[in-house]
Every structure is written in structure tokens, then in C-alpha cells.
Amino acid sequence: MFMKLQFDAKCFHVLGSTKTLPCLGASFSPLETVEGQRGQRVLEIPGGDSRNLNGFSKWSRNKRRNGLAEEFGADKQKIGNYPDLKKRNDDDLGGRFVNGENAGVLLNGNRSAGKMTTKCSTKWLSYNGYVPAILQSLETIEDLDEAFRPWEERLSNKERSIILKEQSRWERALEIFEWFKRKGCYEINVIHYNIMFRTLGKMKKWKLLEGLWDEMNREKIEPINSTYGTLIDVYSKGGRREVAFVWLGKMAKQGIEPDEVTMGVIVQMYKKAGEFGKAEDFFRKWSEGECVTHRVNGSEEKACLSSYTYNTLIDTYGKSGRVQEAFNTFNQMLEEGTVPTTVTFNTMIHIYGNNNQLKEVNSLMKRMEQLRCSPDTRTYNILISLHAKNDNIGMVRSYFERMKGAHLEPDLVSYRTILYAYSIRHMVSEAEELVSEMDVKGLEIDEYTQSALTRMYIEAGLIEKSWEWFRRFHLLGSMSPECYSANIDAFGERGHICQAEKAFLCCQEKKRLSVLGFNVMIKAYGIAGCHDKACSSFDSMASEGVFPDKCSYSCLIQILANADFPHKAMSYLRKMQEAGLVEDCVPYCALISSFVKLGEVEMAKKLYREMIHYGVEPDIIVYGVLINAFAENGNIKEALFYVGEMEAVGLTGNAVIYNSLIKLYTKIGYLKEAEETYRRLSLLGASPDLYSSNCMIHLYSERLMVEQAEEIFQLLKQNMEANEFTFAMMLGMYKRLGRTEQALRIAKHMRESEIMSCLLSYNNVLGLYVMDGRIRDTIQTFGEMIKAEIRPDDCTYKSLGSILMKCGVPREAIGKLEVVAKREPKVVGIGAWMSALSAVIEVDNYT
């Protein structure tokens, strides 16, 4: 057992590899922004401090319903069963779910009154009164005093909230917020702070955000439900989940119960962290509290969850693999009269699709049609991806055409999914047609798709086209180092070393060389057997300002070791040690295996001792190589030494090691030890391999232990694994025991099944027939042996001589045949024996 040339896939994260599926777009999570409220709950945070989070009073709900919303003139019209939803949305002014743009650059010093670049938003026109004019003024005039002058004395709280929310740059929003405070004539309320918390949180300006929180406390402005919801949301999305839970704790300590929106934020936070159990537990505890009701026409009615909450729950169940719970939640949503949205159906289709429940997907599509809920681009993308994974290209094309027929524009995810499906199936003309369509629409082909299509051309044998495709993107000058690496790897993996080298030079020309680029080039040289070039490429890294990493060294060491150049590889192991990059036993394993293969066992032992000295832990493969090496040599002492070493570090033997030991014990005739090892091998769960079973039959047959040998023999026959050697050993044992009938049955089977391929088997069968006086079977078997081009030896001729003597042929004549066979062993010698045997048959027929 020697190491084959294998490269650690973790070292080569290249684009377009067919070994992994691409990420075909954003996850299919609920994206709706509908908000709702719930009543009082008693809550414990999973994994949190229940002492601070259990008590939630009705204070926040009452204050929220009777307080701050009045300043905005909340619409008193009922919205379904949620009259509070309109007020909640007006209060927050979208503060909880704001679509902002990337921040710009804060200008130093005082802002001049000069003009700024106009960037009018069509959304501004939806606002009543003079709000659009104010927003336009703020976009064109830098000085705030001048920009606000026409409206300075009549700005309401709601208008100031809108102005803060609509700023695309956090710097400008903060400047306006400070201007409002500086003027002294404006009330700054909790809604204004909420908007600033979201604006600063989105840009991860945590110090500024926390400064505003302290300021709000100093001004004795009390936070409300949406304040904490906003803080939890921005910290969670900003990658600071632990701080988000601190805000949740403060919320509980203040006695404010999470409303439905805040609950949804927390569930989403758990879900994105992969802690689905905690998400479900949080929702369950939130739901188990006091039933929420709303007064409608003088009577109380039970409030339903919003579609946003249902979508979040369904998605959480789906991502945790709990399909039935997702389905139950979907049914509950329908029973409670909450109308599913396109997002709901998308999530359900995605869940069923991931679990290969295609019938349910079709049922959902029909239900969607019944409810007149139109599929969107995302719906079709999910369906296209689902059928591509199930190798149904016909349905992929069908849904793509249906998307267009519904006047929906396929997006980059659509094209990327289909192109990848075409590329791995080598559907060249279809892929090219799709690329042409993208070119006409001006859609940019991403780097993953580019490298996937390079592989498609290569695997379809269209090398020239693959090169043209690569050059198209190279000449544009925007390929990343990763994309160059993916293309080099695509050419190199298929042995097209010339194209791989050219792609490498193109990368060098554009000054995009990286350690990954060198690694895949070294790998390509290894596959092509260009060991010297692999070394030269490695040695040139420093001149390009690139430093080899762990993968660079491991790859080159494996290439040289597998090419039987372990001494040359040793020098790179030393450099790897100097660089402090030897973190595991992989390079040692490659070298030990190579030295063992070359018979330099002492060098292998030396490397093992070196590993131990440097604190590098050998793995099971290292022990397997060493144990097998000494088993081959019959050195039981050394083999058992490494078995002891292996067990001392807590490793358990595997099938390879146990097979090696059985082979060793068979060579030296250790039956008891072989039996124990065979028992351990059987306990691994898989049947022992044929070699080990044959070894055991050999040990038993040599000792005429019929019952034990027959048990293994029958098992091999039952599994249809018994081979020529299995039958030959059983035949030999029965012959020695004088069980002629059983031996003859085995001989007949061996001849009829034509499994005999070696001299030993033929000699065993010939010896049996001679012993039983079967002249015809002996001569026929000898003919079969000659036809199979197996040359007889002395043992063969001895058996044939015995038959001739039994038929009355003089010993002197037999001696002459033996001499001829030795002098001219091929044609003449064999021909003489065949003539003599044929004559005996004729005499036998005559008599």
C-alpha cells in the first residue's frame, strides 16, 4: 500500500470546480417587511440569563398605543385584523427596515453653501407637502442653514423623521440630526433616535451609536419596543450577536416585551447563526404567553401573526430540516386567514425541493395559481435550480421560457444556474446560445461561470474554444487572481499543460499572480509528470513576490514522493519546517510511503522518529504504511511495535492494518493471533476482504481444521467472492484428508467456471485426477492448461508420468519424455507428452 498522487482539495479553493456546486445566489429567506404586534409574554432567552429576561410588563404596549404615535397622526383605518400595524409603521417610518445606500466620504471642516450633486429619488414624490422640496434642497445645498431656511420654522416631528430616514449617507444624517439639536427649537424624540440607530448600525459605527444611546438616556428619553428591536437587528446583522443579546437583556430588564417584529428579528438572528433549536425555543416561549386580542367593532378578536413572521418560522424549520413542522406552520397560516405571499410559496418550494419532494412542489405551484399569487423571478430560479439538481434539463428549459412568458426578466442567478447546468453536462451549443443572449442584454458573466465554461470546453474536447473563451476575459483585463487560478487548474487537471502554462503567463503579464496560482500550476506539473518544472515553479515564487504556503509545500512534496524522488522531497520538507508550516503529518506520510515503496525502510523509520520528536502526531495512514511494510518483510517484531505505538495514542486499527497483520501472521504461521485479528476485522462492520479470508482458509487447511475453513469458504461462496485460490486451498485440504468426492466437485467447478489461471491450480487438479486414476480428466485438464498458455513444470510432468505408468508405459520411455521437455520445453517437449497421452487414450478406447 503506497500513497497515490492525491492533492488535498482544501488547498485548492478554485472557482468553477465541478467537485462542488456553486452558490447560485442569495438564500431563499423571507424578505417581507410587514410588521405586527403581540401582547404580553413571559420570556426566557435560550442560552441567556433568565433572571433578567423573564419579566415583561404591559407598559410598553400601552405606552406604544397611547403615546408617541399621536404626533404622526396615525391612520385610524383598520388594516385587516391589525389596526396597530399602520400606527407601528408610521411611528417607525420604515426605521426598522430601511433600504439605504453606501455611505459617502465625510468632508473636513465646515460645509460651504456651494451646490452639491443632485440625486433626486422618485420615492420623495410620494411624500405630501413640502417634504420633497426639502429633500431636494438638502441634496443640492451643502450648508444646512441655507438648505432649511424656507421651512425652518414649520418642520413637524414627522417631517424631521422623514428627512433623517431619507439620507443616503450616514455622515449627512448625523449632521442634520446635530443641526436639529443645536437649533433648540425642535423636539428630539425616540423615533428620531431610532432612525439614527439604524443608520449608524448599518454602517457599523458602533461608538457613535452607543454615544447617542448614552445621550438619549441623559435626556431622559425612554426607549420603546422598536428602539430595542432596531438595536438588536443592527448588531445582529453587523456580526455582533453577543451584543445584540445584551440589548435584549436590557429590554427585558426595563420590562418591555418583544413585539412580533422584534421577535422575528431575534428568530432570524438565531437562524442565521445556524442555531435553529434556539430559534424555535424562543418563538415557542414567546407564543406561550398571554393571548393577544384586538378590539374590532366593539368586540375582541384573536390577532393573527403577520405573513412576515410565518415566513420566518417556515424558513427556520426548513433550514433545520424539519419539513413537517414547516408544512404544519404553512397550514396554520392558511387556517388563521393569513394570506400567503410569493415569499411564502418560494420558501415552501425551496424546502420541498431540497428534500426531493417534487410532488409537493407541483402541488404548491397549483395552490399558488388557485390563490392568484403570481410567481416572481425568485420562484422560477428556485424551480430551475431544483430541476437542474435532479438532472431534468427539459424542465429547466421549460421554466426558463415560462419566466420569460410571464414578462419576468431572468436575472444573473437565472443565467448562472442554467449555464452551470449546461456546462457540467457538456451542452456546448445550448451554453453558447445562452451566453449570446446575455451579451445582447449586456449582462456581465461572473467569474464562476467563466471558469465553469472553460472546464466545459475542455471536457468536451474543444481545447481551442476553451482557450478563446479564456482569452476573451483575459483581454478585458478584469480577471481576478482567483479566476486565473481556476482556469489554470481547469487546463492542468485534464493534462493540457501547454494551455495551463500559457494561462499562467497571462496571469503573470497582468501582475495577478498569487500563491493559489502557483499552487495550481505546481499541481498541473505533477499531474503531467513534469517534476523538474514543478520544482522550478515553486523556486520562482519568491522572485514574483509570492511566498509559498502550506499547500505549496505539501503539493510539491507529494509530487516528488509519488515520483519516487523522496530524497529530493526531503529538502522541501526542511524548508517547510523552517517556515513553520508543518502542522500535520501529511508531508511525512507521503515521504514515509515513498521510502517504503523503494525498500528504504530505515529512512521511513527515521522520519517517524523525527515526527515524534517535533510533536507531529502520526495518523492511522502513517501507521498503516509502516505496519504493512514490516508485514511484507515478515518482521513481526517491528510490525507489532508500530501496532503498540498506534494503540498508545488512542488510535484503533482499520481494515488496511488488520489485513496487513493477518498477512504477517499467515506468513509466520501464527494461527491464534490471526484469528483474533480476523475477529477484530469482522467487528468493523464490513465483511473481511477476500485476501484476509483466503489467509485464514490457508491457515486452517494447513492444520486440517475443516469446520473452520468450510465456514469461511461457504461465506465467500454465498457472497460470490470466492476466487481460484479459495477453491484451490479447499481442494488441497480435501485431497490430503482423502475426501475425494468433495475434492472432485471442487475440481469440476474450477474447470467449468474457467477460473483457473495459474500453474498451482492446474497441478492441484492434475494431482487429484492422477490419485483417483481419472486418465481422461487428467489428459483433458492438461490440454486446457496448454490452451491457456500455462507452461508445465516438473510437478506437472510428475503427475503425467504417473498416469502413463498406470497405463503400462515403461519408466525408460517416461524418462525420455522428461529429458525432451527439459531440452525443448515449449513446442517439442509439450508435443511429445501430448502424443504419448493421446496414444494412451486410443489404447484405452480400443480396450
Side-chain angles (χ1 to χ4, degrees):
M1 52 169 275
F2 301 109
M3 295 279 291
K4 292 183 179 178
L5 180 57
Q6 294 178 332
F7 300 100
D8 189 349
K10 293 180 286 185
C11 294
F12 300 101
H13 295 285
V14 292
L15 297 168
S17 171
T18 57
K19 296 186 176 84
T20 54
L21 289 175
C23 177
L24 297 173
S27 61
F28 303 107
S29 298
L31 298 174
E32 293 177 304
T33 59
V34 179
E35 299 187 359
Q37 283 187 306
R38 296 283 283 177
Q40 184 176 2
R41 299 286 183 273
V42 177
L43 181 69
E44 291 182 1
I45 308 302
D49 187 350
S50 59
R51 292 174 301 176
N52 296 328
L53 304 180
N54 282 339
F56 291 101
S57 69
K58 297 183 181 179
W59 175 88
S60 62
R61 184 169 71 239
N62 295 334
K63 179 165 183 176
R64 189 152 177 76
R65 291 180 178 172
N66 302 325
L68 290 162
E70 295 176 1
E71 69 175 73
F72 298 117
D75 191 350
K76 300 184 186 295
Q77 180 182 0
K78 297 173 188 151
I79 304 177
N81 290 333
Y82 273 87
D84 288 340
L85 276 178
K86 172 66 178 170
K87 188 164 67 175
R88 170 67 182 265
N89 289 336
D90 281 348
D91 285 356
D92 288 354
L93 289 166
R96 182 153 298 204
F97 295 93
V98 179
N99 293 322
E101 300 180 10
N102 291 336
V105 180
L106 180 64
L107 301 175
N108 294 324
N110 296 325
R111 297 184 181 270
S112 67
K115 299 292 181 182
M116 298 169 65
T117 303
T118 302
K119 191 167 101 179
C120 182
S121 169
T122 54
K123 184 181 176 185
W124 296 351
L125 303 177
S126 65
Y127 293 119
N128 297 323
Y130 41 77
V131 170
I134 296 173
L135 295 172
Q136 182 67 22
S137 176
L138 289 168
E139 281 291 319
T140 55
I141 301 173
E142 192 172 4
D143 183 83
L144 293 180
D145 289 323
E146 182 178 342
F148 278 117
R149 185 165 289 119
W151 309 278
E152 185 173 343
E153 296 180 358
R154 45 184 173 153
L155 287 174
S156 69
N157 277 337
K158 183 173 182 178
E159 288 160 349
R160 282 184 279 113
S161 295
I162 293 171
I163 289 165
L164 288 173
K165 182 174 72 71
E166 286 298 323
Q167 299 309 304
S168 60
R169 295 186 298 112
W170 68 268
E171 297 95 336
R172 186 68 163 170
L174 187 58
E175 184 183 17
I176 292 169
F177 185 68
E178 294 298 329
W179 186 86
F180 287 155
K181 291 192 295 184
R182 194 164 59 248
K183 280 295 178 180
C185 58
Y186 299 122
E187 176 193 355
I188 303 298
N189 63 37
V190 68
I191 302 301
H192 301 137
Y193 278 100
N194 286 356
I195 294 168
M196 291 308 302
F197 290 151
R198 180 161 294 281
T199 300
L200 294 173
K202 283 178 66 177
M203 302 310 297
K204 300 183 180 181
K205 303 298 176 183
W206 309 121
K207 288 186 178 180
L208 290 173
L209 185 154
E210 288 159 12
L212 286 183
W213 170 262
D214 293 338
E215 176 184 289
M216 192 173 83
N217 287 333
R218 288 196 301 272
E219 296 296 327
K220 300 191 182 307
I221 298 173
E222 293 189 7
I224 58 176
N225 207 314
S226 61
T227 308
Y228 286 108
T230 299
L231 290 166
I232 292 166
D233 190 42
V234 295
Y235 273 94
S236 173
K237 290 177 178 175
R240 303 186 68 186
R241 195 160 58 95
E242 69 287 348
V243 182
F245 282 114
V246 171
W247 290 114
L248 183 59
K250 288 182 179 180
M251 182 182 190
K253 189 174 182 180
Q254 190 176 330
I256 299 177
E257 170 204 355
D259 62 7
E260 184 180 343
V261 180
T262 304
M263 179 277 298
V265 167
I266 296 166
V267 169
Q268 283 274 20
M269 176 170 62
Y270 279 126
K271 183 184 73 176
K272 289 179 180 179
E275 297 179 350
F276 304 113
K278 288 184 178 180
E280 294 165 26
D281 191 45
F282 184 90
F283 173 73
R284 179 181 57 78
K285 290 180 179 178
W286 183 86
S287 302
E288 285 173 354
E290 183 180 317
C291 180
V292 183
T293 57
H294 289 286
R295 186 165 291 280
V296 180
N297 295 331
S299 61
E300 288 190 344
E301 292 186 3
K302 182 180 178 180
C304 299
L305 296 174
S306 68
S307 61
Y308 170 79
T309 300
Y310 275 118
N311 291 345
T312 300
L313 292 172
I314 291 168
D315 193 47
T316 301
Y317 286 128
K319 283 185 167 60
S320 63
R322 299 174 65 181
V323 180
Q324 188 59 47
E325 283 83 351
F327 179 72
N328 293 342
T329 306
F330 178 68
N331 281 339
Q332 181 184 337
M333 181 182 189
L334 296 175
E335 289 168 4
E336 291 189 358
T338 304
V339 180
T341 65
T342 303
V343 174
T344 315
F345 281 106
N346 287 352
T347 307
M348 288 298 297
I349 291 168
H350 185 61
I351 291 169
Y352 280 129
N354 275 350
N355 287 276
N356 293 318
Q357 295 176 274
L358 301 185
K359 288 183 180 178
E360 286 76 4
V361 169
N362 293 332
S363 176
L364 282 170
M365 291 298 293
K366 290 176 183 176
R367 190 70 171 272
M368 204 172 181
E369 188 177 342
Q370 291 168 357
L371 294 174
R372 296 182 181 179
C373 183
S374 300
D376 59 9
T377 301
R378 181 180 289 254
T379 314
Y380 285 109
N381 284 347
I382 298 169
L383 291 165
I384 288 168
S385 177
L386 163 63
H387 288 290
K389 288 176 183 176
N390 283 275
D391 203 23
N392 193 337
I393 294 298
M395 288 301 295
V396 169
R397 290 170 172 167
S398 173
Y399 278 118
F400 189 58
E401 292 305 318
R402 285 169 65 176
M403 185 195 306
K404 293 176 180 178
H407 305 291
L408 293 170
E409 192 68 25
D411 59 14
L412 282 171
V413 175
S414 317
Y415 285 105
R416 184 179 185 182
T417 307
I418 299 172
L419 274 175
Y420 182 79
Y422 286 161
S423 71
I424 63 175
R425 292 168 178 83
H426 306 159
M427 299 172 67
V428 177
S429 58
E430 291 84 351
E432 289 179 337
E433 184 180 337
L434 211 58
V435 169
S436 298
E437 190 176 315
M438 292 179 72
D439 289 341
V440 169
K441 292 184 177 182
L443 295 175
E444 185 179 346
I445 294 172
D446 66 281
E447 292 190 337
Y448 195 101
T449 304
Q450 187 281 326
S451 57
L453 264 65
T454 299
R455 289 180 182 272
M456 175 192 73
Y457 283 123
I458 293 169
E459 290 170 6
L462 302 170
I463 307 306
E464 286 302 319
K465 276 198 170 185
S466 69
W467 182 251
E468 290 168 11
W469 176 254
F470 165 76
R471 274 182 57 79
R472 165 182 166 175
F473 294 88
H474 165 64
L475 294 175
L476 289 174
S478 58
M479 283 178 74
S480 69
E482 290 76 20
C483 192
Y484 275 111
S485 300
N487 283 270
I488 295 166
D489 192 51
F491 288 118
E493 276 193 341
R494 291 294 177 177
H496 300 291
I497 196 67
C498 180
Q499 285 78 12
E501 287 178 326
K502 285 162 65 178
F504 184 82
L505 291 174
C506 287
C507 181
Q508 189 177 36
E509 172 193 317
K510 295 292 184 181
K511 301 188 184 304
R512 304 285 166 80
L513 284 176
S514 65
V515 67
L516 179 58
F518 274 101
N519 289 351
V520 293
M521 193 66 240
I522 292 167
K523 172 187 168 185
Y525 283 134
I527 291 170
C530 303
H531 315 115
D532 290 338
K533 284 189 173 183
C535 293
S536 298
S537 182
F538 181 96
D539 296 339
S540 67
M541 291 176 78
S543 63
E544 295 290 342
V546 178
F547 297 97
D549 62 6
K550 175 186 172 183
C551 180
S552 313
Y553 283 107
S554 294
C555 181
L556 185 58
I557 289 169
Q558 286 191 52
I559 288 169
L560 294 173
N562 281 278
D564 296 340
F565 298 127
H567 290 283
K568 190 171 185 179
M570 284 284 288
S571 63
Y572 291 100
L573 176 63
R574 299 299 175 228
K575 291 178 182 178
M576 189 178 184
Q577 289 170 329
E578 291 170 6
L581 295 173
V582 179
E583 300 170 358
D584 54 43
C585 67
V586 172
Y588 278 104
C589 186
L591 287 170
I592 288 171
S593 182
S594 184
F595 280 122
V596 166
K597 180 183 174 184
L598 295 175
E600 299 186 42
V601 181
E602 288 303 315
M603 279 299 297
K605 290 169 60 178
K606 181 180 177 182
L607 280 172
Y608 173 81
R609 289 193 294 269
E610 184 179 301
M611 284 176 67
I612 303 302
H613 175 74
Y614 285 118
V616 178
E617 293 185 6
D619 63 9
I620 197 70
I621 299 174
V622 172
Y623 286 113
V625 170
L626 290 166
I627 291 166
N628 187 68
F630 292 109
E632 286 284 353
N633 295 335
N635 191 331
I636 187 169
K637 182 179 178 182
E638 290 282 8
L640 293 180
F641 168 78
Y642 290 107
V643 170
E645 291 276 286
M646 175 188 74
E647 293 174 345
V649 296
L651 294 175
T652 304
N654 58 19
V656 174
I657 290 172
Y658 288 143
N659 284 328
S660 296
L661 289 173
I662 290 171
K663 175 170 57 179
L664 172 62
Y665 293 138
T666 303
K667 280 184 178 181
I668 58 178
Y670 280 26
L671 175 62
K672 185 178 178 182
E673 289 79 0
E675 284 183 318
E676 174 60 22
T677 308
Y678 191 76
R679 186 188 65 80
R680 290 188 183 183
L681 188 58
S682 302
L683 293 175
L684 290 179
S687 298
D689 68 10
L690 178 59
Y691 184 88
S692 296
S693 297
N694 280 346
C695 284
M696 294 307 300
I697 290 175
H698 173 75
L699 287 168
Y700 289 135
S701 65
E702 287 290 313
R703 290 160 178 78
L704 303 180
M705 298 171 69
V706 179
E707 185 179 336
Q708 293 86 340
E710 285 182 333
E711 182 181 349
I712 297 174
F713 176 60
Q714 292 302 326
L715 182 63
L716 291 178
K717 281 207 303 181
Q718 180 182 324
N719 295 334
M720 300 182 70
E721 293 178 346
N723 65 0
E724 173 184 5
F725 303 104
T726 315
F727 285 102
M729 286 185 291
M730 293 302 294
L731 185 150
M733 180 179 70
Y734 287 136
K735 190 171 68 171
R736 289 195 301 275
L737 286 167
R739 296 186 180 183
T740 308
E741 287 301 318
Q742 290 170 295
L744 287 171
R745 282 198 296 270
I746 290 179
K748 182 181 179 183
H749 174 82
M750 292 176 74
R751 290 178 61 197
E752 289 177 349
S753 59
E754 298 181 347
I755 64 172
M756 292 195 292
S757 62
C758 72
L759 179 62
L760 179 62
S761 297
Y762 278 104
N763 283 344
N764 271 340
V765 173
L766 287 170
L768 173 66
Y769 288 150
V770 170
M771 184 180 75
D772 199 45
R774 293 176 174 262
I775 300 171
R776 287 183 178 280
D777 286 331
T778 303
I779 296 171
Q780 287 173 1
T781 303
F782 181 64
E784 292 165 9
M785 179 179 179
I786 301 306
K787 188 178 178 181
E789 298 182 350
I790 295 175
R791 185 181 300 177
D793 66 356
D794 290 342
C795 182
T796 312
Y797 291 129
K798 184 178 179 181
S799 295
L800 295 175
S802 297
I803 281 289
L804 291 175
M805 286 183 67
K806 284 184 179 181
C807 293
V809 177
R811 186 181 295 276
E812 293 79 9
I814 296 172
K816 288 179 181 180
L817 288 173
E818 291 174 349
V819 171
V820 173
K822 286 183 180 179
R823 287 179 181 174
E824 299 182 65
K826 294 184 179 178
V827 180
V828 177
I830 291 172
W833 278 96
M834 284 300 295
S835 298
L837 291 167
S838 298
V840 168
I841 288 289
E842 289 178 7
V843 171
D844 187 59
N845 287 336
Y846 181 76
T847 58

